Amino acid sequence: MEKNLVEVNLDKLVSFRRDVHRHPELGFEEHETSRKIREYLEALDVEYVSGIGKTGIVAWIVGSREGHGASVGLRADMDALPLEEHSGVDHASRHHGRMHACGHDGHTTMLLGAVEYFRHNRAFSGTIYFIFQPAEEGVGGGKAMVDDGLFERFPIKEVYGLHNWPGLPVGKFGLVSGPIMASGDRVDITIQGRGGHGGLNPHGCVDPIRIAAELISKAHTIISREVDPLNPAVLSICAIQGGDLDGFAVIPNTTKLSGTIRALDEETRTIVASGLRRLCESLEHYYGATIELKIEDKFGVTFNDAEATESARKVIQECFGEDALVRDYKPSMGGEDFSYMLAVRPGSYIHVGSGDEDHPHGLHNPQYDFNDSIIPLGVSLLSRLAVASLNRQYS
């Protein structure tokens, strides 16, 4: 497999990626990252507009061949996570409690590599838009860019994105038509009871700890008994806060829970949310407590268009070989707010293998670091996807 299908200055790109890694910024706070991207674009004399969806940027390059309005968008995310880094690499985060633990520094770098390639190779018809998106990590950057007129201001007809995937070895690509990433809802539950002495008068209390325990137990049966077993779904209560560990005999007034709902279709998503609402209402009435349930829509299902996905499959096989595509690839129950863009324009989202002996850690792990060896693969893939899309629009 030829890894460097387009010419890239790998040393330059790796240096940029590691600089961004040293200085991670959280969602909608990517001011320095955005500045560095703008400087890179300006050095290439590439046109762009900044401030889209707060800190987002859209750049574009028009091909030198005559055309009739074909256009395609390539998207990369650029925010970091609120996580303390323990990777031990020389370019580790210099900011306490923030790190690039999902590889968005690498995605941004690969997109800049594609910009630089097309800056010097304009022998195509149409316009390629390069979308640098803020705030992917559950903060709504994709939605913010769409709401800020991304597709009205820039006539993008198809849009593509990729994500490094440590669960796949370098040189492998994961792709599926239809849902590839799950919807994601944040669940917050507040149980307001009546506290008191845990030894003297527990019978006079409305114990929110007891209610929380029952709620957690019953919530985890919603999937197994209300959802079609052939429709993937997840309901996880991931955090609980109530009382004080030093107050061993104190029943608190309030207990709070948080968690997430994931599904690959809207009907299943609704069934799980409805089941959780009914459960909270029944426990509220039974125990005489007040239970407040909030379900926040973080992102929808990331849905790959069939035609765009078939085009992407052909690009991968032609560029990287028949065996590069993982057979019978399965969707992930992780979420991705690229879903907001794919809900408006057809396109496809691709997992790019990044796992090897030197990069065994998964996404969102404090020991994770992006695998720089896949930068040429990402640049090549993005570039070929764009050209294939433009050519299809003219065919």
Side-chain angles (χ1 to χ4, degrees), residues 61-87:
I61 294 175
V62 179
S64 60
R65 295 178 178 173
E66 291 187 10
H68 304 281
S71 62
V72 62
L74 303 174
R75 171 269 197 181
D77 37 21
M78 57 184 184
D79 58 322
L81 282 158
L83 191 65
E84 190 70 27
E85 182 162 358
H86 297 289
S87 67

Side-chain angles (χ1 to χ4, degrees), residues 130-145:
F130 305 89
I131 304 164
F132 297 90
Q133 183 207 303
E136 188 281 326
E137 295 290 355
V139 196
K143 185 176 187 299
M145 291 193 84

Side-chain angles (χ1 to χ4, degrees), residues 8 22-23 55 86 100 125 139 153 216 228 240 292 316 361 364:
V8 294
R22 289 187 190 96
H23 305 284
T55 49
H86 297 289
H100 273 290
S125 299
V139 196
R153 296 163 70 177
I216 293 170
D228 186 331
I240 179 168
E292 180 185 14
I316 292 169
H361 302 293
H364 293 211

Side-chain angles (χ1 to χ4, degrees), residues 141-156:
K143 185 176 187 299
M145 291 193 84
V146 171
D147 290 347
D148 205 9
L150 173 64
F151 295 112
E152 289 76 30
R153 296 163 70 177
F154 308 96
I156 299 167

Side-chain angles (χ1 to χ4, degrees), residues 143-281:
K143 185 176 187 299
M145 291 193 84
V146 171
D147 290 347
D148 205 9
L150 173 64
F151 295 112
E152 289 76 30
R153 296 163 70 177
F154 308 96
I156 299 167
K157 294 182 179 178
E158 283 193 339
V159 62
Y160 292 85
L162 56 76
H163 203 295
N164 81 99
W165 213 248
L168 293 178
V170 172
K172 294 290 187 179
F173 299 83
L175 184 60
V176 62
S177 181
I180 188 169
M181 302 283 281
S183 61
D185 295 307
R186 173 171 176 162
V187 173
D188 287 286
I189 302 171
T190 300
I191 304 170
Q192 185 67 45
R194 184 173 62 251
H197 198 298
L200 181 65
N201 69 330
H203 57 288
C205 301
V206 177
D207 185 352
I209 299 290
R210 173 193 180 192
I211 298 169
E214 186 168 343
L215 191 155
I216 293 170
S217 177
K218 285 186 165 61
H220 287 156
T221 68
I222 292 173
I223 302 296
S224 64
R225 287 297 176 269
E226 298 193 32
V227 174
D228 186 331
L230 297 179
N231 294 341
V234 174
L235 169 57
S236 292
I237 303 299
C238 300
I240 179 168
Q241 183 183 77
D244 190 313
L245 292 178
D246 290 329
F248 67 95
V250 179
I251 294 173
N253 287 316
T254 306
T255 298
K256 296 183 177 182
L257 311 171
S258 70
T260 187
I261 297 171
R262 305 292 170 110
L264 292 179
D265 65 87
E266 289 301 317
E267 181 180 2
T268 301
R269 185 184 192 183
T270 300
I271 289 171
V272 177
S274 176
L276 187 59
R277 287 193 184 92
R278 286 187 285 104
L279 173 61
C280 289
E281 290 169 1

Side-chain angles (χ1 to χ4, degrees), residues 30-31 100 103 150 173 178 247 255 258 263 272 280 285 326 331 365 371-372 381 384:
E30 308 95 339
H31 303 292
H100 273 290
L150 173 64
F173 299 83
T255 298
S258 70
V272 177
C280 289
H285 293 308
V326 178
N365 185 302
N371 189 342
D372 289 325
L381 177 58
R384 301 294 173 145

Side-chain angles (χ1 to χ4, degrees), residues 13 16-17 20 30 33-34 36-37 40 57 75-79 100 103-115 130-134 162 370 375 379 382:
L13 292 174
F16 181 91
R17 199 284 295 182
V20 173
E30 308 95 339
T33 304
S34 179
K36 291 170 184 176
I37 293 169
Y40 202 110
I57 299 170
R75 171 269 197 181
D77 37 21
M78 57 184 184
D79 58 322
H100 273 290
H104 297 183
D105 50 343
H107 304 161
T108 293
T109 300
M110 292 189 288
L111 188 56
L112 284 172
V115 172
F130 305 89
I131 304 164
F132 297 90
Q133 183 207 303
L162 56 76
F370 182 82
I375 290 175
V379 176
L382 289 168

